[in-house]
Amino acid sequence: MRRDRGRRDRPDVGSCGAAAYRREPVTVVDIATDPLWERYRHLALPLGLQACWSCPILGTQGETLGTFAFYFRTRRGPNEDEEQVVETCVDLCAIAIERHEAEREIHRLAYFDTLTGLGNRASFDIALEALEGTGGAGLLLIDVDRLKIVNDTLGHAAGDDLLREIGRRIGETAPDGAYRISGDEFAVVLRGANVAEAMPWVADRLLEAMQPQALCGGRPHRLAVTVGGAVLGEDGATVESLRQKADIALYHAKDAHRGGFARFTEGLGDAAARRLQAIRDVREALDEDRVEAYFQPIARLDTGDFIGLEALCRVFGRDGARMAEAPFQLAMTDGVAATLLTERMLTQVARAIRSWLDDGVNFQHVGVNVSAGDFHVGALEKRISGVFERYGVPLRHVILEVTELVYLGKKDNLVGEAVKALRARGLLVALDDFGTGYASLTHLVTFPVDIIKIDKSFVADLGEGGPGAAIVGGLIDIARKLGMKIVAEGVETAEQARLLEALGCRLGQGFFYARPGDFDLTTKRLRERGQPLPDAAPARLTAG
């Protein structure tokens, strides 16, 4: 039986090639003279082979799986007994081959990534377990930079092109230990006594392999990855902790020198481990749908009516406990985690607003927080407008809340352009936690905002004739002259509300009015105390 994926299925390539091509039996009674054997008779005749009878092995779909051939030392064709044997054998061979192919396909799907052909997460886990007791081993984790930008700007097909090409280059650089272990993360398992010396060299080769541009979605694109590594036995790295320590090194590299390589050392410290754990917890919560939008009302100081809301992200553990603020903020320093949370929040807020509009619930606006990462990923206007358009929500019901620190980065031009484009579509912009950064008054002139939210630290220092009152009063006067609204954050007492109103502030937010609540509680609150946006009112926060 002949089964060769590289066979030449042509009408003039011996008995087997012709049978495979024609998908019917081919009998050659004289190899020495038959034209089918013209190019190959010199191989058969010296062995005493004078004739050949070949039958194709066909699959259930009629495709050729192989051939079953008899060679004779005399010039003849098959006899009746031989034909019966072959008829039975061919069917059995077809069943055996197709079963083998099915098993191979099941194995391929179970242990290999369908996009890149590299080993998948299951293969990677097996490879890590096999490191126990080896003479030397190490692990490199490779994170793809800017994959989301490619997906958002060029489409997911282009993103697949990017991953496929990066996977190919990693596989060529480390052919014996390359894996794709998640959407944008690859791994290389290193083995050998000299892994500690070889690891930097392999990492450099991986980074060099990414230098030539690749076509993604038909356009040239520069590939970029960041690499982190750990060596078994160094700095307490065991088989069980090797992945975690390589993860810590990777995240350190992404923070310190994205596009480079970092190797784990104990000096990276507990802070990196805590940050990595926080990021993992957020990613798992997103995967398991444990992220929920809570809403805190914004109230009129004179009546206590709720004119709007701020959407606040709540991440819950598997035990139902809310993720504490400190680890949540650590997770938000990761650009990918931050943008994924924003997308989840935008969807939940859009769905909530649509429900309130359909049910005639009174409210004006809902504020949504965005991070620096959301701006730097790009296409923010498209992403925000796309979500709300999908739910049929006018952007005049949305406030984009941005902290002052977002404006202070090197890419503030990018932030300013995105904010300008969103405001042109009717969305309001609030400068959150105002006064906690620096050069705050400059930002009021250089960046287009509609609302200033005074940080709660100023509200906490309010007192008759005190410095807090002077600062808040000055901010209120400046905002009024610039045509901006003021919202005081952190209002916790009736006395603070009275002092703020006396200073000319009209809107407040804090525990004095309501703690953040889920959708059902917020709907009940709005039904009881919500104030609608007047039909004739312009797209500006109104307090009366």
Side-chain angles (χ1 to χ4, degrees), residues 297-299 307 399 401 430-432 434 451-455 459 485-491 500 505-509 541:
I298 297 172
I307 59 92
I399 295 175
E401 299 204 9
L431 190 57
D432 199 13
F434 184 76
I451 304 155
I452 297 173
K453 301 189 75 172
I454 300 176
D455 186 70
V459 176
K485 297 291 183 181
I486 283 279
V487 176
E489 296 182 298
V491 182
L500 285 166
C505 184
R506 297 291 176 261
L507 302 171
Q509 174 182 353
L541 200 66

Side-chain angles (χ1 to χ4, degrees), residues 201-283:
W201 179 79
V202 176
D204 286 343
R205 285 194 63 198
L206 286 168
L207 295 171
E208 288 173 5
M210 303 300 155
Q211 293 304 310
Q213 289 190 336
L215 287 179
C216 300
R219 300 182 183 181
H221 189 82
R222 186 173 68 85
L223 308 182
V225 300
T226 303
V227 184
V231 176
L232 191 64
E234 283 191 358
D235 297 300
T238 63
V239 170
E240 291 75 21
S241 66
L242 190 63
R243 167 73 193 275
Q244 181 186 33
K245 293 183 184 300
D247 257 337
I248 292 172
L250 174 61
Y251 278 96
H252 175 74
K254 289 167 67 175
D255 279 345
H257 40 89
R258 184 177 289 271
F261 164 65
R263 181 164 161 177
F264 178 82
T265 63
E266 205 60 50
L268 292 181
D270 294 336
R274 288 195 300 271
R275 176 176 179 268
L276 177 59
Q277 187 59 53
I279 294 168
R280 281 179 172 169
D281 290 343
V282 165
R283 292 284 194 101

Side-chain angles (χ1 to χ4, degrees), residues 377-390:
V377 162
L380 184 61
E381 176 196 357
K382 178 181 176 182
R383 286 188 287 131
I384 290 178
S385 60
V387 171
F388 287 102
E389 285 173 3
R390 190 159 62 247

Side-chain angles (χ1 to χ4, degrees), residues 105-286:
E105 181 64 11
I106 292 171
H107 182 272
R108 186 184 69 81
L109 293 175
Y111 295 103
F112 291 88
D113 176 53
T114 55
L115 181 65
T116 64
L118 299 178
N120 62 10
R121 179 61 180 268
S123 292
F124 172 70
D125 290 342
I126 292 172
L128 284 189
E129 291 177 6
L131 296 180
E132 193 71 58
T134 57
L139 174 62
L140 291 172
L141 294 180
I142 303 116
D143 187 78
V144 178
D145 297 332
R146 298 189 295 275
L147 174 62
K148 183 170 176 56
I149 295 178
V150 175
N151 284 334
D152 289 342
T153 57
L154 300 180
H156 285 273
D160 286 347
D161 289 344
L162 178 74
L163 290 170
R164 196 179 294 110
E165 180 61 20
I166 288 176
R168 184 186 69 79
R169 298 185 188 188
I170 292 174
E172 289 180 351
T173 304
D176 297 326
Y179 305 86
R180 183 186 178 206
I181 57 176
S182 69
D184 59 355
E185 192 171 19
F186 294 80
V188 170
V189 176
L190 303 173
R191 301 174 181 84
N194 63 339
V195 162
E197 293 76 22
M199 177 172 283
W201 179 79
V202 176
D204 286 343
R205 285 194 63 198
L206 286 168
L207 295 171
E208 288 173 5
M210 303 300 155
Q211 293 304 310
Q213 289 190 336
L215 287 179
C216 300
R219 300 182 183 181
H221 189 82
R222 186 173 68 85
L223 308 182
V225 300
T226 303
V227 184
V231 176
L232 191 64
E234 283 191 358
D235 297 300
T238 63
V239 170
E240 291 75 21
S241 66
L242 190 63
R243 167 73 193 275
Q244 181 186 33
K245 293 183 184 300
D247 257 337
I248 292 172
L250 174 61
Y251 278 96
H252 175 74
K254 289 167 67 175
D255 279 345
H257 40 89
R258 184 177 289 271
F261 164 65
R263 181 164 161 177
F264 178 82
T265 63
E266 205 60 50
L268 292 181
D270 294 336
R274 288 195 300 271
R275 176 176 179 268
L276 177 59
Q277 187 59 53
I279 294 168
R280 281 179 172 169
D281 290 343
V282 165
R283 292 284 194 101
E284 288 178 356
L286 284 163

Side-chain angles (χ1 to χ4, degrees), residues 322-339:
R322 175 190 158 194
M323 188 177 192
E325 185 66 18
F328 177 79
Q329 292 301 329
L330 278 178
M332 290 296 288
T333 62
D334 179 71
V336 174
T339 53

